[in-house]
Amino acid sequence: IHMKKLFVLFAAAVSMAVAAQTHRVTLFQETLVNGTTLKPGEYKVIVDNGKAVLEKGKSRAEAQVNIETAGSKFSSTTIRYQNGDGQYRLKEIRLGGTNTKLVFSN
């Protein structure tokens, strides 16, 4: 019985690890993500369960995202901003080498 429980826990841990996707993006200017200002630099982006987390050292921003699939793969990672008041708000990330687009709901 204990082996069965251990296997179920192991299977759940593996499926959770597989579910989260990790990517890298470079922000070239101060970027507002869900009320948090991120400085320029390279960030790790963790996408899991409709949420994206951008991390670099102690800097961290989290936001809800819609994950969309494009008709073809993106040749490089690109970032789109919304800029109406002088602040660059992260609007979407198109992940290079994939056909995945993360659309941020600000």
Side-chain angles (χ1 to χ4, degrees), residues 36-52:
T36 302
T37 301
L38 298 176
K39 301 284 184 198
E42 185 176 310
Y43 287 81
K44 178 169 58 169
V45 180
I46 303 161
V47 182
D48 191 20
N49 205 19
K51 192 183 302 183

Side-chain angles (χ1 to χ4, degrees), residues 5-6 8 13 29 31-32 36 43 53 56 68 73 93:
K5 286 182 181 178
L6 186 61
V8 170
Q29 58 214 13
T31 301
L32 198 60
T36 302
Y43 287 81
V53 178
K56 177 183 134 189
E68 297 181 4
K73 288 186 177 185
I93 299 174

Side-chain angles (χ1 to χ4, degrees), residues 88-106:
Y88 289 90
R89 287 177 169 74
L90 187 57
K91 193 67 182 158
E92 69 182 45
I93 299 174
R94 296 177 177 196
L95 300 168
T98 74
N99 59 347
T100 302
K101 177 169 57 171
L102 306 176
V103 180
F104 288 74
S105 46
N106 291 332

